[in-house]
Amino acid sequence: MSWSKSISLDVANNIFDVIGVSFEQNELEGGYIAKHESKTLRRATLTACCMAVLTNWVTIKES
């Protein structure tokens, strides 16, 4: 079995929908954009964009 370091746009949007983040491809400049309310993140690849959302926007709450 082989693994890939990529994710599809549909899968990323489904996974991150629960926290209100959506992704789109930036056809004008290239790369991808993540949006949450008034915040945006831009990265060259969708995987990098997802990783940036996890490191910059997601906080794990402790009970």
Side-chain angles (χ1 to χ4, degrees):
M1 176 184 288
S2 65
W3 292 92
S4 174
K5 286 186 171 184
S6 64
I7 186 170
S8 74
L9 198 54
D10 289 336
V11 171
N13 279 315
N14 285 336
I15 291 171
F16 286 89
D17 184 56
V18 295
I19 60 171
V21 175
S22 64
F23 296 91
E24 61 185 49
Q25 190 169 12
N26 186 347
E27 295 178 15
L28 199 59
E29 298 175 5
Y32 291 86
I33 300 172
K35 294 182 178 183
H36 181 264
E37 298 172 354
S38 63
K39 298 187 285 186
T40 59
L41 270 174
R42 289 178 176 80
R43 296 293 185 272
T45 66
L46 183 55
T47 301
C49 204
C50 290
M51 291 170 58
V53 167
L54 290 172
T55 56
N56 295 318
W57 290 353
V58 175
T59 303
I60 297 174
K61 294 172 108 179
E62 293 186 32
S63 304

